[in-house]
Amino acid sequence: MQPDFDVVVVGSGPAGVSVSFPLAEAGIRTLMVDGGLEATIPALTDPFLTERANSHEQWKWIIGEDFHALRNIEAISPKFRVPAHGYVFQDFLTRNQIVSKDVVAIGSLSSGGLSNAWGCGVARLSKSELSYFPFPLEEIYSSYGRVARRIGISGRSTDDLSDYFGVDEWADPALLLDAVNDSIFRRYATGSSLTPGFRLGRARLAVLARNTEDRRACNLSGNCLWGCSRKALYSSADEVSVLSRNISFYYRSGFLVDNIRANNGLILLEGTGPDGYWSVAAKRIVLAAGTLATTRIAMRAIGYGGSLRLQCSPAAAFLLWVPGMTGHEHSHGFGLGQLSFVLKLADDVTAFGSTFSPTGIPVTEFVRHLPLSARYGIDVLRHLLSSCLAGNLFFPGNISQISLRLTVNGTLLIEGNHGQYVLNLMSNASRLLRCAFWRLGAILMPMSFSVAKPGSDTHYGCTLPMRENPKLGETDRWGELKGFDNVHIVDGASLSSLSEKSHTLTIMANADRIGRELAIRANNEKSVFNRTT
């Protein structure tokens, strides 16, 4: 039996494209498959404030012609209510047979996966953080650089977070701060209002600060939540077309992989496609379908009957008011994280977060969290919101308490909750942040600090972790699944630990690292075959 392809990559998210580049460049016949869902609502072209002031059809992209925002009113994050993002999350749980209990489970069947609706935060793991991984720092460091240069990142700044992020050597300068963020950053820079254990700096982001061949630099339109027509925000969907220019790379959309099994020395993928049942044979399979979908496929393939641990970052959100900026008018600006901060809570626990301008976010998203009726909440925010900032907070994944297992009918069941230790850390973080931002001229609004449900962060990982000596349900240093040779895990599922930092760049760098090793192996196999024939 001859293989249809040398390697099949399942998923077109950041991990999928990052493992595919070195394979395609090495001439390895590589097929990428994904769910293939595409955007149906175009991104805004005019700045957010211009659209809000002049558009007579803004209800179509705020509420949706099918009332998407209202139908998802209970969703945990504003991004899930944006009609333009509806396709990103559509049908993921049902089609992948995933059920969650007290945990928010999120994934994507779209081209580009969750990178179509992410916060664009990037960071490199430190030497101590990488000590949990079964390979030397040097091995992934070069991959960090290759990926960072390929996707384009910004945020370089001489500040207190330069070493923490570790990406400045590959980054363009930071984007312009809005007036409210700038007022806090200037006060912090004086050094007169510092809080022990609290550090502040510019956010490091996968956002263009200058034009490239296919994408244009951020113009501070404030449209980040609604879709960037300039493609300044990185999405791996934009790289699928770049990969397709290589004659060794093939892409098929609209396919959902349900099972993999050994077949006459090859691996057979089975699932559904546009015309029903579909299968393809390959020498190697790379799973990059997102942590949850990848884990279900892998567990089924090796017949894993126990439970696995899922790490995710316990998260919270809050609202800051800067009284000194009261009366400041809303202005155009970047809509994702502008400032970032680090908060030391214990010897082994550090929290990380960012602050955002509320300009590109509907006022209803803030009213729903105020201890006032909507009528009076709107009146209050009409005067205060332009002098406010939204903030988020993430903790390391090793303190999460979530498990998953396969049921007898093949459904992936995810269960968990926040233990008392997490809740105590959240309470302490709220108190310390209140103090830190007070010294910087900002008030953490009463009752605004909100702890998110487990899984809301979507920073999933470590279900099939890389280990030096893996056992069943783990992977080796090259992401190869114990119990099934030539099946490699390259997305968040194979991470050995989950830092509080944004984890996407690490996933991409690890996928690039593994892709280069697989390219070497595939070419060596070709050489052996040629010599024997």
Side-chain angles (χ1 to χ4, degrees):
M1 183 177 180
Q2 295 298 312
D4 299 306
F5 296 93
D6 295 319
V7 179
V8 176
V9 178
V10 181
S12 59
V17 298
S18 294
V19 76
S20 297
F21 271 106
L23 290 168
E25 290 165 359
I28 309 303
R29 287 186 308 139
T30 303
L31 170 68
M32 174 182 285
V33 297
D34 68 11
L37 297 181
E38 300 283 352
T40 57
I41 299 176
L44 300 182
T45 54
D46 290 333
F48 176 81
L49 291 177
T50 302
E51 290 278 1
R52 287 287 280 153
N54 302 325
S55 174
H56 296 293
E57 295 189 333
Q58 55 189 274
W59 64 273
K60 291 184 178 181
W61 51 269
I62 293 179
I63 298 175
E65 294 187 78
D66 62 349
F67 303 103
H68 175 86
L70 300 180
R71 289 189 293 105
N72 291 276
I73 195 67
E74 298 301 323
I76 194 69
S77 168
K79 69 177 66 174
F80 304 130
R81 286 184 284 279
V82 173
H85 289 164
Y87 78 100
V88 177
F89 314 104
Q90 180 181 329
D91 298 333
F92 173 79
L93 296 180
T94 53
R95 294 197 63 193
N96 280 287
Q97 293 180 252
I98 297 173
V99 174
S100 63
K101 181 179 179 181
D102 300 323
V103 176
V104 177
I106 297 167
S108 180
L109 297 176
S110 65
S111 176
L114 292 177
S115 68
N116 291 298
W118 68 311
C120 292
V122 293
R124 175 171 62 89
L125 295 186
S126 66
K127 183 177 180 179
S128 62
E129 289 167 330
L130 284 170
S131 65
Y132 295 98
F133 292 70
F135 51 78
L137 168 67
E138 297 76 18
E139 200 167 272
I140 195 172
Y141 186 82
S142 58
S143 289
Y144 270 122
R146 277 189 291 266
V147 171
R149 287 187 288 267
R150 191 187 82 226
I151 68 176
I153 63 177
S154 58
R156 186 179 74 236
S157 178
T158 304
D159 59 31
D160 287 350
L161 296 186
S162 294
D163 291 340
Y164 178 81
F165 285 115
V167 298
D168 282 359
E169 62 182 288
W170 311 303
D172 286 327
L175 302 174
L176 188 68
L177 288 173
D178 65 32
V180 184
N181 275 289
D182 186 59
S183 70
I184 288 179
F185 195 41
R186 286 179 179 274
R187 188 158 177 172
Y188 177 85
T190 65
S192 60
S193 304
L194 303 185
T195 300
F198 177 87
R199 289 183 289 156
L200 186 74
R202 298 302 309 271
R204 271 62 170 182
L205 303 155
V207 179
L208 293 186
R210 55 190 171 95
N211 294 337
T212 66
E213 179 182 352
D214 302 313
R215 300 162 58 201
R216 292 184 292 167
C218 175
N219 64 348
L220 305 179
S221 67
N223 287 332
C224 305
L225 182 64
W226 310 95
C228 181
S229 62
R230 301 171 65 87
K231 298 184 178 181
L233 310 181
Y234 172 77
S235 169
S236 60
D238 298 328
E239 293 198 299
V240 174
S241 59
V242 177
L243 279 165
S244 297
R245 299 170 190 168
N246 193 303
I247 61 173
S248 300
F249 179 82
Y250 304 83
Y251 172 63
R252 294 178 184 171
S253 64
F255 292 87
L256 182 72
V257 174
D258 184 59
N259 189 38
I260 56 177
R261 58 185 176 88
N263 187 34
N264 294 325
L266 299 176
I267 304 173
L268 192 67
L269 281 83
E270 300 175 311
T272 56
D275 300 316
Y277 173 80
W278 164 83
S279 67
V280 63
K283 296 178 181 178
R284 281 188 175 83
I285 303 300
V286 175
L287 295 180
T291 296
L292 302 183
T294 285
T295 301
R296 179 183 173 274
I297 296 170
M299 291 179 75
R300 183 174 180 182
I302 62 177
Y304 195 87
S307 63
L308 296 175
R309 183 185 179 192
L310 170 68
Q311 289 194 26
C312 64
S313 298
F318 56 90
L319 185 67
L320 296 171
W321 173 43
V322 184
M325 298 299 295
T326 302
H328 171 74
E329 292 187 0
H330 286 292
S331 59
H332 299 305
F334 183 60
L336 298 180
Q338 296 191 33
L339 295 177
S340 290
F341 60 88
V342 173
L343 185 66
K344 190 74 171 178
L345 292 164
D347 290 340
D348 58 344
V349 179
T350 298
F352 162 77
S354 298
T355 60
F356 305 74
S357 167
T359 296
I361 305 174
V363 68
T364 53
E365 296 295 340
F366 300 99
V367 169
R368 59 194 280 124
H369 297 293
L370 290 181
L372 299 170
S373 66
R375 167 68 180 83
Y376 296 108
I378 290 173
D379 284 343
V380 170
L381 291 178
R382 180 181 293 117
H383 299 287
L384 292 186
L385 201 55
S386 64
S387 56
C388 289
L389 296 174
N392 60 19
L393 187 69
F394 299 99
F395 287 81
N398 63 357
I399 64 173
S400 57
Q401 299 181 5
I402 301 175
S403 64
L404 40 76
R405 60 182 175 86
L406 281 181
T407 64
V408 292
N409 66 356
T411 296
L412 184 69
L413 177 62
I414 308 171
E415 300 176 286
N417 53 56
H418 286 319
Q420 191 58 49
Y421 180 62
V422 170
L423 297 178
N424 290 342
L425 285 173
M426 288 289 185
S427 178
N428 192 29
S430 174
R431 179 180 58 82
L432 293 175
L433 286 176
R434 192 178 305 276
C435 175
F437 281 110
W438 172 266
R439 293 183 178 184
L440 298 176
I443 296 173
L444 199 156
M445 295 290 280
M447 301 180 67
S448 72
F449 190 90
S450 176
V451 179
K453 289 185 64 175
S456 302
D457 55 289
T458 69
H459 294 185
Y460 308 131
C462 310
T463 50
L464 306 162
M466 290 179 288
R467 300 289 186 234
E468 188 68 39
N469 298 297
K471 60 180 184 293
L472 194 67
E474 296 178 341
T475 53
D476 70 7
R477 64 178 295 188
W478 301 112
E480 190 167 10
L481 182 63
K482 182 70 173 180
F484 206 134
D485 293 343
N486 295 323
V487 172
H488 296 261
I489 313 298
V490 301
D491 54 26
S494 67
L495 294 181
S496 301
S497 69
L498 188 66
S499 165
E500 76 282 352
K501 294 176 179 176
S502 302
H503 68 323
T504 301
L505 186 63
T506 295
I507 290 174
M508 298 177 79
N510 186 54
D512 175 87
R513 181 187 71 87
I514 293 174
R516 293 180 186 281
E517 172 65 16
L518 297 186
I520 293 172
R521 292 185 186 183
N523 278 323
N524 287 342
E525 290 169 358
K526 287 182 180 180
S527 298
V528 171
F529 177 79
N530 290 335
R531 287 198 300 269
T532 57
T533 56

